[in-house]
Amino acid sequence: MKIKIENKSILDVKADAIVVNLFEGVRHPSGVTGIVDKTYEDVISNFVIKQENFEGKYGEIYMLPLVKENKKIFVVGLGKQENFDLIKIRNLNAKLIRKINACKNIKKVVSILHGAGIMGLCPFACAQMITEGVISGLYDFDKYKSDKKEVNIKEFIIAELDESKFKKAKKGLEQGLIIAQSVNDARDLINESSQYLYPETLADYAVKNSGVKTTVYNKTQIKKMGMNAFLAVGQGSVHEPKLIHMEYIPERKAKRKIAIVGKGITFDSGGLDLKPPSSMLTMRDDMSGAAAVITTMKAISQLKPDVEVHAIVAACENMPSGSSYKPGDVIIAKTGRTIEIDNTDAEGRVTLADALAYAEELGVDEIIDIATLTGACMVALGTVASGIMGNDDNRIKEFIETAKQAGEKFWQLPMDEEYGDSLKSDIADTKNTGGRMGGASTAGIFLSKFVKKTPWIHIDIAGTAFVDKANAEGIKNATGVGVKSLIKYIAG
Ligand code: BES
Ligand code: MG
Ligand code: ZN
């Protein structure tokens, strides 16, 4: 499907479906919806609103067939004007496009630029959100299904007559395409079976698709770098661990240098501290952080911000076997700090300990890690918000604010020293776990021990990366969470 914007009136674009909108409580449509209403003999005000009681509630969609013209009008409810925002535009379009696609004979759709009319929202952002919604809404992981859902719609056109709005919206559409594609790519990577997606294939993917210079280090090279913590986690698997380093260097002088580090456990069985079956079922998602940083790099390579960006993934598989790392083992991490393995299922933080140390050695101004780290975070925040913490409150606040604009929710969790008390070890500098209570914060404290002085943000997406019920965007299974926020935080 192609998505485009045309500098025309909505009535001058020939299409099988016209999309207009209404705020809640509006009885006499104005703006573009008003024009469409007048053109078709007041059918929206006299029939849809008056007779069919269309109220314009947020998410309400009315399909009106125009039999003579052989086309359909879709009236979408925007809800109360005072509650309306950009995120609603995106989620609404995701819902709408699935509905339109279900009408098999609609090949071409023309839509109003939602939000840029009476609401006066920025046309760039409105077009970006429509694009993100449309592309995201049509996402389906049907690679392994014999019956694939066809995309019947061939063209989706946004019509905007005002030239200055049109110009801004055109750029927003381009930005939306880049972002939505990265999000969908992350979803594909995460949904993929761990049978096919293991450290080597993940690294190959990054080399081919990250859009930036990518270096992959093998086990011998990783050993030489002293990343024993990372290697310990992967040593029970038949798949060799890979360290993936992607770098984007801007053409102009970089305003700042940032490293993004993604947890890349391609399957988390728990290791010798084996997970129960129900907890293991979706553990192919334990590389969601890695997927987020790889696909973020792809977007960065296209958006070209004046920021130097490094993405790091310590990819391995956590498996039980004769060669696995064991509870009670002491490991010397890259920084020299020793870790007593208390539980082999707390493996993500052990790999991140070395990945963070590697990132810090690059001399960046800021490090952000993103990880499906703790079941405790999932229990605390559910599938709605991701956890966020770190050593720099101002940056955390800035990240939360930026993410909000990108339509993703983050909630700061505490990092008081006391959360680290349970990590004390009799035989090493730290244990890798400290029991179940306050587990997300304890994990954060553990990670903080491996970042010496760089401002650092830690994001826990255990609850939001993979969901079994459709979220606000209508997405089930891999959500691609984090991608939109990382792109916005880095590239604006
Ligand atoms: N990958 C899991 C965390 C996770 C849980 C991600 C649920 C997505 C959904 C992580 O490696 C893990 O197993 N953490 C343990 C830590 C515990 C042993 C301290 C957990 O949260 O149970
Ligand atoms: Mg685990
Ligand atoms: Zn894990």
Side-chain angles (χ1 to χ4, degrees):
M1 191 205 63
K2 272 203 189 119
I3 174 158
K4 287 193 298 198
I5 177 154
E6 291 186 12
N7 191 195
K8 282 184 185 163
S9 153
I10 200 165
L11 298 168
D12 293 335
V13 180
K14 255 190 87 184
D16 307 310
I18 305 178
V19 179
V20 292
N21 62 34
L22 272 185
F23 279 110
E24 190 172 333
V26 172
R27 311 283 299 172
H28 305 285
S30 59
V32 176
T33 306
I35 294 170
V36 173
D37 187 32
K38 291 276 155 324
T39 310
Y40 295 103
E41 294 156 7
D42 300 325
V43 69
I44 298 174
S45 40
N46 284 341
F47 180 71
V48 180
I49 298 173
K50 252 193 216 144
Q51 288 188 40
E52 294 290 275
N53 295 321
F54 184 86
E55 294 175 286
K57 284 211 168 15
Y58 174 67
E60 215 180 334
I61 299 174
Y62 191 95
M63 186 185 80
L64 177 76
L66 299 174
V67 182
K68 254 197 285 166
E69 283 84 1
N70 190 24
K71 63 169 82 169
K72 297 183 173 72
I73 297 180
F74 286 83
V75 189
V76 301
L78 303 181
K80 294 208 172 74
Q81 197 170 342
E82 63 268 27
N83 295 337
F84 191 67
D85 61 19
L86 287 164
I87 308 313
K88 291 214 164 87
I89 299 183
R90 187 178 68 213
N91 294 347
L92 199 57
N93 273 277
K95 183 176 175 187
L96 173 72
I97 200 74
R98 282 191 289 269
K99 192 151 184 167
I100 297 180
N101 197 47
C103 308
K104 296 208 161 35
N105 51 356
I106 298 179
K107 301 269 178 281
K108 189 168 171 185
V109 182
V110 61
S111 170
I112 190 169
L113 182 62
H114 304 282
I118 326 164
M119 261 318 272
L121 297 175
C122 159
F124 179 101
C126 294
Q128 180 188 336
M129 288 300 160
I130 293 174
T131 308
E132 283 186 27
V134 166
I135 304 288
S136 171
L138 290 173
Y139 178 80
D140 194 21
F141 186 72
D142 58 4
K143 189 173 170 186
Y144 298 116
K145 281 199 171 170
S146 308
D147 265 339
K148 298 196 198 298
K149 251 193 244 151
E150 292 290 317
V151 176
N152 304 306
I153 308 163
K154 297 278 172 280
E155 264 185 293
F156 187 98
I157 314 280
I158 302 170
E160 178 53 61
L161 188 57
D162 179 305
E163 200 178 337
S164 105
K165 283 187 191 171
F166 160 79
K167 280 190 181 144
K168 290 180 188 136
K170 194 168 165 36
K171 294 218 173 76
L173 186 149
E174 283 157 16
Q175 179 121 343
L177 267 180
I178 292 173
I179 295 168
Q181 195 52 56
S182 279
V183 174
N184 282 357
D185 286 348
R187 289 171 181 163
D188 273 345
L189 270 173
I190 299 161
N191 283 323
E192 183 58 270
S193 324
S194 63
Q195 168 80 350
Y196 307 117
L197 195 106
Y198 43 87
E200 188 183 348
T201 51
L202 182 65
D204 285 346
Y205 180 92
V207 168
K208 292 198 187 98
N209 301 287
S210 68
V212 297
K213 181 182 166 197
T214 302
T215 314
V216 179
Y217 298 99
N218 64 21
K219 194 171 156 187
T220 318
Q221 293 165 309
I222 298 166
K223 178 104 200 125
K224 263 199 200 128
M225 291 187 247
M227 298 175 82
N228 301 315
F230 167 32
L231 285 181
V233 174
Q235 75 191 32
S237 166
V238 295
H239 295 296
E240 192 191 346
K242 300 282 178 195
L243 177 71
I244 312 167
H245 180 174
M246 294 150 272
E247 43 195 313
Y248 164 77
I249 314 283
E251 273 165 27
R252 281 188 287 178
K253 194 174 176 307
K255 290 196 182 113
R256 57 188 175 130
K257 277 194 202 179
I258 184 163
I260 49 178
V261 179
K263 172 173 171 182
I265 303 296
T266 57
F267 186 74
D268 181 13
S269 69
L272 290 174
D273 286 305
L274 200 65
K275 284 183 185 293
S278 61
S279 311
M280 206 191 294
L281 191 60
T282 56
M283 278 302 134
R284 67 176 188 284
D285 80 342
D286 217 16
M287 35 59 74
S288 297
V293 303
I294 295 169
T295 59
T296 291
M297 285 313 259
K298 164 105 175 276
I300 295 293
S301 77
Q302 292 166 277
L303 296 170
K304 303 190 191 321
D306 293 336
V307 182
E308 183 174 321
V309 192
H310 296 265
I312 291 112
V313 174
C316 67
E317 196 183 50
N318 187 22
M319 295 294 277
S321 79
S323 60
S324 297
Y325 78 142
K326 301 179 276 296
D329 281 357
V330 174
I331 298 153
I332 307 165
K334 181 169 170 58
T335 60
R337 199 169 252 281
T338 55
I339 305 168
E340 177 193 355
I341 300 305
D342 181 60
N343 189 317
T344 62
D345 196 12
E347 81 301 332
R349 64 194 77 180
V350 179
T351 62
L352 286 172
D354 280 349
L356 288 169
Y358 179 96
E360 190 159 39
E361 280 184 7
L362 299 170
V364 291
D365 306 314
E366 181 173 5
I367 302 172
I368 302 176
D369 78 70
I370 176 161
T372 43
L373 206 62
T374 66
C377 187
M378 181 161 75
V379 172
L381 303 175
T383 57
V384 179
S386 305
I388 186 167
M389 56 206 107
N391 61 12
D392 186 322
D393 276 346
N394 288 333
R395 281 177 208 256
I396 293 170
K397 291 211 169 65
E398 192 192 329
F399 192 93
I400 295 173
E401 226 6 83
T402 311
K404 203 170 166 186
Q405 291 165 27
E408 294 188 323
K409 295 180 184 180
F410 289 82
W411 195 262
Q412 188 174 0
L413 297 174
M415 281 261 289
D416 302 75
E417 261 174 52
E418 296 95 305
Y419 285 106
D421 288 351
S422 54
L423 291 173
K424 290 209 172 80
S425 162
D426 290 336
I427 51 171
D429 297 333
T430 181
K431 289 198 293 186
N432 73 330
T433 64
R436 293 174 54 212
M437 307 290 272
S441 294
T442 308
I445 296 278
F446 175 88
L447 294 180
S448 73
K449 295 172 191 280
F450 298 89
V451 182
K452 288 189 184 128
K453 55 175 200 300
T454 312
W456 154 76
I457 294 175
H458 159 58
I459 295 170
D460 194 333
I461 53 169
T464 49
F466 203 93
V467 295
D468 57 8
K469 270 199 226 86
N471 65 12
E473 240 181 297
I475 288 293
K476 226 178 114 174
N477 297 338
T479 59
V481 71
V483 177
K484 294 190 269 266
S485 303
L486 284 172
I487 297 173
K488 187 147 185 80
Y489 187 75
I490 297 168

